[in-house]
Amino acid sequence: MRLHPLNAITTAALLAAATAHAQTATPAAPTVVLPEVKVTDAPKGEATEGSGQYIAREISVGKLVQSPRETPQSVSVITRQRLDDLNLTKLEDAVKQTTGVTVTRLDGAGNYNTIQSRGFDIGAVLLDGVPIPQGANFATAMDTAIYDRIEVLRGPSGLLQGASEPGGTINLVRKRAQSALGLNANVSAGSWGMRRADVDLTGALNAAGTLRARVVAVKDERDSYVATLRNDKTLGYGTLELDIDSATTLSVGHTRQKIRATVDQGLPAYADGRLPDVPRSTFAGLAANRQDLDSTDTFAELEHRLPNGGLVKFAARDVHRESLYRSARANSALAANGNYQLQAVDFQQDVQDRNYDLYVTSPLSLLGRTHRVLLGMSHTENESLDGNSAFGAPRTANLFNPQYGLPYPSVTLPGFQSATRRTENAVYGQAQISAAERLKVLVGGRMSWAKAETRTLSTGQTTATADPWRQFIPSVAAIYELNENLSAYTSYAETFVVQSNLDRAGQLLTPRSGSQIEAGVKGEFLNKRLQTHFAVFRILDKDRAVADPAVPTASVAGGKVRAQGFETEVSGQVAPGWDVLAGYAFTATKYLQAPASQQGQVFSPITPRHSVNLSTRYAFRSPALQGVSVGGGMSYRSEFFAQSGTLRVTSGDYALFNAQVAYQINDKLSVSLNVDNLFDKTYYEKVGSLGRQNFYGEPRRVTMALKARY
């Protein structure tokens, strides 16, 4: 495993993360998940933990800490309270609750996923603003136990993360070390052998409170409604914070997550596109299938707060992800008698990402008004090892008469064959100009120098390069305050993507570019306890790789697609004790320039045209029911599909309901009961192809949780 100098400065934090290497004993009894430590010294912009709110009054996804109303793009926030109320322990499950976001599941355990917004992938996940590119064959993020909130920005965000997909970005706001002593201890148990325990401890390490620490440990074991599947996770997170002086703070931390699971790549479909009507427990694979995922995330941050309210911040982040995959999977359409071809494939991946970011923010007085400026620079490195894959001899299996205990076919991996290195250097900036009493104009841009190179490991020979030289990503917006409750805005943002397809000369294609125009209205009501948002958008993505008409095995940068639609969201507290979140998204995608078979067709068939999310929770205030809360929710997805030529595999639409009841036993203990898929709806959550990648959604699931807070 490759090491990096950042590890040297986080030795103390490593002690806390060592829990990820240990096999913690399985909890013996059903339990529950605990409420967060309530702290009073949270930094500006950090949501107070355990506040019971479904909104954040300030967000930090754009580096400049500001309210959602001051952000001229669509942003949704999943607060710590919502994560706790819904027992959301994975990023993928959390963002499913977000307006306009689609999660495409690629394995039964839910560790391989892609996340889309507005028809495009979410290109990167940020930790406190520092981006790391995502890939389908890795767990998308660490367990949510280490995050205070999750911010989801929809649409291109090249100013924030450089070369990246135009779907948007997800900012994970980590839990910070606090000076007040706090302890959370949570245990939970549920359907299909689910057992989970997590502990969160924070406090000062000296009398002055200038040295603080926080550690989080998680052990999560669960089986599945699918036969033979399991998913075991161990995580350790540690962070230290040191106040060098009254204005300067150094933070270091390390997270290690280990996942051991069974790979399930879904069911095959019939040759005419019909999905099989079999028990939801049916598995097209072998019990010996294996999925090992190991991730480490090391960071260091140095913040200096300026006397005028500005901030200078340097952040360094190193993420290492390793994956071992052994899967006997369906690889043909399903015959009428239930036969299909079972194919064995093994592969390994190894990816290292490093990011260094330095920026300064400051207010600026000019012409009698106060403005804000942001200036920064960043350096990103990504290296992936590829080509370590092999196939075993195929065999015939039967979906109606599965034999999960058969031995796994013999497969010998050849070792890594190639390495791809991507680098990007950038300078960026933004000015928030108070042009008039009620008008703010935001002007910004990012100048990037990106490069990609692929080489053969055995010879060291470079086989493909992409060096597009300079790429400028502009961003402009305007916000007009209509009255004390409403603001109207419009924005234009861009991004670019370095492509991996090769032209007829064997060289990587030039980058493709994405741009978005968005306009909307944001509101704050009931003393800012209720937030509203309505937006319309259009994204154009051009210079996409399409087949070269003269050389079918090569590509040219000639494709163009469009996504457009609108979204609306209401979140917050509509009455004392009553929290709600409701969102609706309409998304339409289309090929504008493409081969004849795709021209005018839907570009992102996995994106439903209509999606609805609703969550609500009410805490009773009467003395007779003091401490009791009830909640529920609904999610709806219209029909989506996968297509090959003229053949479609279609999901059908579906609506799912959930319910929750909780009781606060005293000021330290609470218990809750959650039921997901309340009416046990049978549906296909994902459709992929005739050969595989068709997944039933999860049946009714019940979770009991006990939460302790000290």
Side-chain angles (χ1 to χ4, degrees):
M1 178 171 152
R2 289 171 289 180
L3 297 177
H4 184 263
L6 278 176
N7 291 325
I9 62 173
T10 56
T11 302
L14 279 166
L15 297 176
T19 54
H21 297 276
Q23 295 299 318
T24 305
T26 300
T31 23
V32 187
V33 214
L34 309 177
E36 277 295 324
V37 182
K38 187 173 183 179
V39 295
T40 56
D41 57 350
K44 182 176 177 61
E46 180 176 330
T48 302
E49 301 175 13
S51 63
Q53 295 180 348
Y54 280 11
I55 62 171
R57 289 189 170 86
E58 292 183 331
I59 57 176
S60 54
V61 65
K63 297 186 186 292
L64 290 171
V65 175
Q66 56 197 13
S67 71
R69 185 176 168 185
E70 296 173 307
T71 305
Q73 274 186 265
S74 298
V75 180
S76 297
V77 179
I78 306 163
T79 63
R80 185 70 247 174
Q81 187 67 43
R82 286 193 69 211
L83 293 172
D84 288 341
D85 286 349
L86 299 177
N87 286 331
L88 299 172
T89 61
K90 298 180 63 177
L91 174 64
E92 296 83 0
D93 293 334
V95 298
K96 282 180 186 177
Q97 310 294 322
T98 303
T99 304
V101 173
T102 300
V103 176
T104 301
R105 177 180 171 190
L106 301 176
D107 77 298
N111 296 318
Y112 293 166
N113 304 274
T114 59
I115 302 174
Q116 293 83 29
S117 171
R118 298 181 174 178
F120 297 92
D121 283 349
I122 294 285
V125 170
L126 285 62
L127 176 69
D128 288 333
V130 179
I132 295 297
Q134 293 304 296
N137 291 331
F138 291 101
T140 311
M142 305 295 185
D143 191 278
T144 61
I146 70 174
Y147 306 125
D148 175 66
R149 66 181 184 273
I150 300 169
E151 302 170 344
V152 183
L153 182 146
R154 298 183 289 281
S157 53
L159 178 66
L160 304 177
Q161 60 191 46
S164 190
E165 291 285 340
T169 191
I170 297 172
N171 187 40
L172 306 173
V173 182
R174 64 181 173 85
K175 290 179 176 178
R176 305 287 297 260
Q178 305 292 339
S179 58
L181 180 63
L183 171 66
N184 286 340
N186 310 319
V187 288
S188 59
S191 303
W192 312 299
M194 178 267 191
R195 305 167 302 279
R196 176 183 170 91
D198 62 83
V199 177
D200 178 1
L201 175 64
T202 188
L205 300 181
N206 61 0
T210 56
L211 179 62
R212 302 170 295 278
R214 191 162 194 165
V215 292
V216 177
V218 174
K219 183 63 178 177
D220 189 309
E221 296 181 347
R222 58 188 72 193
D223 298 323
S224 171
Y225 63 95
V226 178
T228 80
L229 263 62
R230 66 180 181 87
N231 190 42
D232 300 338
K233 175 170 56 178
T234 309
L235 173 139
Y237 163 70
T239 183
L240 292 172
E241 272 191 24
L242 172 66
D243 292 333
I244 299 173
D245 57 37
S246 60
T248 309
T249 300
L250 172 67
S251 301
V252 296
H254 181 79
T255 308
R256 180 177 174 86
Q257 180 171 273
K258 180 174 71 175
I259 293 174
R260 297 294 179 264
T262 307
V263 172
D264 167 23
Q265 288 203 270
L267 303 175
Y270 291 103
D272 60 2
R274 287 182 299 118
L275 292 163
D277 183 10
V278 292
R280 287 175 285 185
S281 60
T282 306
F283 175 35
L286 299 176
N289 283 10
R290 178 179 168 189
Q291 181 186 53
D292 296 352
L293 298 168
D294 291 281
S295 305
T296 60
D297 190 344
T298 306
F299 67 87
E301 296 178 355
L302 182 64
E303 296 181 352
H304 179 70
R305 296 166 289 280
L306 302 175
N308 64 356
L311 176 72
V312 180
K313 182 175 180 179
F314 171 76
R317 187 178 177 194
D318 181 285
V319 175
H320 185 206
R321 294 172 286 187
E322 296 175 286
S323 171
L324 171 64
Y325 170 106
R326 303 180 70 235
S327 178
R329 62 191 188 179
N331 194 45
S332 70
L334 186 65
N337 65 356
N339 283 350
Y340 65 94
Q341 184 186 74
L342 189 69
Q343 175 197 61
V345 58
D346 290 14
F347 75 82
Q348 280 186 295
Q349 287 189 298
D350 188 305
V351 175
Q352 186 94 21
D353 291 283
R354 294 170 184 160
N355 190 296
Y356 307 89
D357 187 74
L358 172 66
Y359 69 89
V360 57
T361 68
S362 179
L364 176 66
S365 296
L366 185 66
L367 300 177
R369 299 187 184 278
T370 300
H371 318 277
R372 300 174 72 190
V373 294
L374 163 71
L375 293 172
M377 62 180 67
S378 68
H379 172 75
T380 301
E381 303 172 6
N382 168 276
E383 183 165 351
S384 62
L385 301 179
D386 304 300
N388 191 13
S389 62
F391 294 90
R395 66 176 69 165
T396 299
N398 189 281
L399 199 65
F400 305 150
N401 183 28
Q403 299 182 56
Y404 303 132
L406 291 175
Y408 192 85
S410 176
V411 179
T412 301
L413 288 171
F416 291 110
Q417 304 296 302
S418 64
T420 299
R421 179 178 174 82
R422 300 174 179 86
T423 61
E424 181 184 346
N425 296 306
V427 293
Y428 58 89
Q430 185 183 73
Q432 295 188 357
I433 303 167
S434 297
E437 182 178 354
R438 295 190 174 187
L439 176 64
K440 287 185 178 180
V441 177
L442 289 73
V443 180
R446 182 185 185 100
M447 186 74 76
S448 296
W449 291 262
K451 183 177 181 179
E453 178 182 271
T454 300
R455 70 184 188 279
T456 301
L457 291 177
S458 59
T459 64
Q461 180 182 1
T462 298
T463 56
T465 61
D467 191 357
W469 185 230
R470 195 170 51 238
Q471 297 284 327
F472 179 67
I473 306 171
S475 175
V476 295
I479 306 172
Y480 184 76
E481 185 179 326
L482 300 171
N483 54 44
E484 64 176 354
N485 298 118
L486 294 171
S487 296
Y489 73 90
T490 184
S491 63
Y492 175 82
E494 289 188 5
T495 190
F496 73 97
V497 180
V498 177
Q499 304 193 81
S500 59
N501 303 76
L502 304 179
D503 62 19
R504 66 181 69 177
Q507 296 301 305
L508 293 169
L509 296 183
T510 56
R512 49 178 249 257
S513 59
S515 61
Q516 174 184 266
I517 297 177
E518 179 176 328
V521 178
K522 295 188 178 186
E524 295 176 322
F525 302 92
L526 303 179
N527 196 27
K528 298 187 177 182
R529 295 193 306 272
L530 187 70
Q531 299 174 350
T532 63
H533 177 211
F534 175 83
V536 295
F537 65 89
R538 172 177 286 184
I539 300 176
L540 294 177
D541 190 59
K542 60 183 182 179
D543 298 325
R544 300 178 62 87
V546 295
D548 188 330
V551 184
T553 57
S555 300
V556 295
K560 184 178 181 180
V561 299
R562 181 187 69 204
Q564 59 187 14
F566 66 90
E567 300 165 350
T568 185
E569 187 173 273
V570 178
S571 59
Q573 197 172 76
V574 296
W578 186 9
D579 292 309
V580 300
L581 189 149
Y584 167 76
F586 170 81
T587 309
T589 68
K590 185 178 182 179
Y591 281 102
L592 300 181
Q593 296 175 10
S597 62
Q598 294 177 317
Q599 186 71 31
Q601 298 296 310
V602 171
F603 157 63
S604 179
I606 60 174
T607 300
R609 289 175 70 87
H610 307 277
S611 63
V612 178
N613 289 308
L614 171 66
S615 293
T616 184
R617 173 180 176 270
Y618 182 73
F620 290 95
R621 300 170 62 83
S622 66
L625 294 174
Q626 189 72 33
V628 176
S629 64
V630 295
M634 184 273 288
S635 63
Y636 170 78
R637 300 291 182 268
S638 64
E639 178 180 285
F640 52 92
F641 60 93
Q643 185 160 353
S644 177
T646 59
L647 186 65
R648 288 188 178 184
V649 181
T650 304
S651 69
D653 61 346
Y654 61 86
L656 303 176
F657 296 83
N658 63 74
Q660 179 214 33
V661 59
Y663 178 60
Q664 190 74 37
I665 300 170
N666 54 41
D667 61 346
K668 294 182 173 60
L669 292 174
S670 67
V671 63
S672 66
L673 173 69
N674 286 66
V675 183
D676 295 289
N677 194 358
L678 181 64
F679 301 112
D680 201 21
K681 170 77 172 178
T682 298
Y683 67 102
Y684 271 89
E685 178 187 9
K686 156 78 184 305
V687 294
S689 69
L690 297 182
R692 57 178 173 269
Q693 286 293 321
N694 304 296
F695 292 95
Y696 274 118
E698 190 175 62
R700 181 189 296 118
R701 173 163 54 90
V702 179
T703 305
M704 284 283 297
L706 178 65
K707 312 177 183 182
R709 176 176 63 188
Y710 296 92

